[in-house]
Amino acid sequence: VNATVTAGNVTYTTETRAITLNNPPTHSQPRITFSDDPRNHSVANITGYPVNADDINDDPISFTYDWRENGASIATLNYGFNANTSFGTVLDASTNDYDAIPGTGSNRPSWTSNGVRGGAYEFDGNNDYLAIEGLNYNSSGSISSMTACSWVKTSNGGKSIVSYDRDEYFELESNSNSLEFYTTSTSGTTDRVASDASVTDGSWHHVCAVYDPSDTADKRLYVDGELDKAKDTYSKGTSLGTGASRYGFVGAQSEASTFNGTRQGHFNGRLDEVTLYERSLSDEQIRQLYREGNRSLNGNRMNQTKLVTAETSGFDDYSVAIRPSDGITDGTLKASERHVAYEDLTRPVTQTPLT
């Protein structure tokens, strides 16, 4: 409603706007089950579920899942991108709270509701980026093992997906022909491994890069849940990182010695569910991450997540934290009860959760 008020020779125009307040989605404490056997033991996959999720505004709800071992996140950082926070902070679902800050003005990626299991960010290939807050490397051999995963959708070569400087630590990127994983050892030796598959066909693809110095093929690339390329790069036990101070980016190549610093090589396309791990994920867990997202893309989204037995060990306890989002606002992150995975299958099991 517009109204005009005249006082003397000055005309004032006022405007009244209707503002719709959004309520974040709510849920109860999530639950987990050892899904392949009624007993809690380490040969069972663990499934996590949201409970009583609701949105008073009837907005569709999507979920970000974060698996935890002994109360600490298995992921180092975990971005679900399910709420439109283009003008604010992108929340990390892990216990580390490594939130990301979008670039400002023309450097800000645009949020879209058309992600894999909810929202995603669209990067323009010119200057858009997310700056990772709190996680930086500044000592030689900082990374003993790692995994970087993301869903990507691009038809333009893409460029950097996540980077801590390819010449100092690591970078995962795509180009017109392949997915590429760069790493640099403590001695300053930079190596590149490239996939046989291309991910620049304009469709969603799940990609993961793994560094595992205990394996002869210490660098591995996965596309859509399957191992695409493995390479013997460094001598066994070699860690990554020269010791230079570097801060990270999603959607840009890092050369930053300070937070939100120097960057180039910006991604062109959409990114979703970006995760980093300071461990080498198993083939089975990478395949499971792909399956969960692919079901959603095919219109068969199941509101649950699974941690496979290859990621668990006896006598450690496991839980899942879940954050609901309605595309506008993130709800509260809540963790399930913690339950122990027993190594001995004959051991009696109590269902009493840890306190």
Side-chain angles (χ1 to χ4, degrees):
V1 177
N2 293 319
T4 301
V5 179
T6 301
N9 295 322
V10 181
T11 298
Y12 300 91
T13 300
T14 61
E15 180 181 358
T16 302
R17 295 185 179 183
I19 300 175
T20 301
L21 298 178
N22 180 72
N23 296 283
T26 60
H27 65 137
S28 303
Q29 185 179 35
R31 67 186 180 94
I32 61 172
T33 59
F34 285 69
S35 55
D36 294 347
D37 193 289
R39 299 171 296 176
N40 292 3
H41 55 68
S42 63
V43 297
N45 298 323
I46 312 172
T47 304
Y49 309 85
V51 175
N52 296 329
D54 183 58
D55 189 273
I56 196 171
N57 306 112
D58 292 326
D59 296 318
I61 303 174
S62 55
F63 301 94
T64 301
Y65 303 95
D66 188 64
W67 281 105
R68 298 176 177 184
E69 184 177 69
N70 301 323
S73 293
I74 291 175
T76 304
L77 63 80
N78 182 353
Y79 299 145
F81 295 163
N82 288 328
N84 185 1
T85 54
S86 296
F87 293 89
T89 300
V90 177
L91 297 179
D92 175 18
S94 84
T95 51
N96 300 305
D97 293 328
Y98 293 140
D99 298 337
I101 307 300
T104 58
S106 63
N107 297 334
R108 181 183 297 115
S110 59
W111 186 85
T112 172
S113 60
N114 296 316
V116 175
R117 287 191 288 185
Y121 274 98
E122 180 122 29
F123 299 78
D124 65 6
N126 295 320
N127 44 30
D128 292 351
Y129 68 90
L130 300 174
I132 299 170
E133 191 170 30
L135 177 60
N136 65 292
Y137 299 107
N138 57 17
S139 61
S140 177
S142 296
I143 302 171
S144 57
S145 61
M146 64 159 291
T147 303
C149 295
S150 180
W151 282 91
V152 302
K153 184 178 183 180
T154 180
S155 56
N156 297 289
K159 278 299 185 182
S160 183
I161 299 166
V162 59
S163 173
Y164 274 85
D165 194 335
R166 65 170 69 176
D167 295 322
E168 304 293 347
Y169 293 93
F170 72 90
E171 180 175 305
L172 176 62
E173 69 169 54
S174 67
N175 63 33
S176 58
N177 298 313
S178 62
L179 182 71
E180 298 181 346
F181 180 32
Y182 292 86
T183 55
T184 298
S185 67
T186 54
S187 64
T189 302
T190 299
D191 176 78
R192 167 187 172 272
V193 59
S195 67
D196 291 328
S198 173
V199 295
T200 56
D201 59 0
S203 298
W204 280 108
H205 294 280
H206 188 252
V207 300
C208 285
V210 173
Y211 179 67
D212 180 3
S214 67
D215 197 328
T216 300
D218 51 10
K219 292 179 70 173
R220 304 193 295 273
L221 283 172
Y222 297 79
V223 177
D224 293 335
E226 298 299 327
L227 178 63
D228 179 278
K229 184 63 68 69
K231 183 180 180 181
D232 180 6
T233 304
Y234 306 114
S235 59
K236 278 197 173 184
T238 297
S239 295
L240 303 179
T242 63
S245 180
R246 283 296 180 269
Y247 289 73
F249 293 98
V250 174
Q253 295 174 344
S254 174
E255 294 181 354
S257 58
T258 59
F259 172 67
N260 206 3
T262 306
R263 59 199 172 273
Q264 60 178 3
H266 296 265
F267 187 81
N268 190 334
R270 294 181 184 180
L271 297 176
D272 196 7
E273 299 188 5
V274 176
T275 51
L276 288 179
Y277 305 81
E278 291 181 347
R279 64 194 285 174
S280 54
L281 287 188
S282 63
D283 293 357
E284 294 87 350
Q285 188 63 35
I286 291 172
R287 191 173 298 115
Q288 179 62 29
L289 293 174
Y290 165 70
R291 286 172 175 167
E292 290 177 11
N294 191 54
R295 280 198 299 260
S296 181
L297 288 173
N298 290 327
N300 187 30
R301 182 170 69 182
M302 300 173 66
N303 291 327
Q304 64 183 55
T305 185
K306 184 175 289 186
L307 185 69
V308 303
T309 182
E311 299 298 326
T312 65
S313 58
F315 303 108
D316 288 320
D317 70 73
Y318 294 91
S319 58
V320 68
I322 299 177
R323 174 182 285 129
S325 302
D326 62 6
I328 304 170
T329 309
D330 283 316
T332 302
L333 184 70
K334 294 182 180 180
S336 70
E337 294 175 336
R338 295 161 58 178
H339 289 274
V340 172
Y342 289 121
E343 190 74 41
D344 181 2
L345 305 189
T346 64
R347 175 174 175 156
V349 174
T350 176
Q351 294 297 326
T352 303
L354 297 183
T355 58

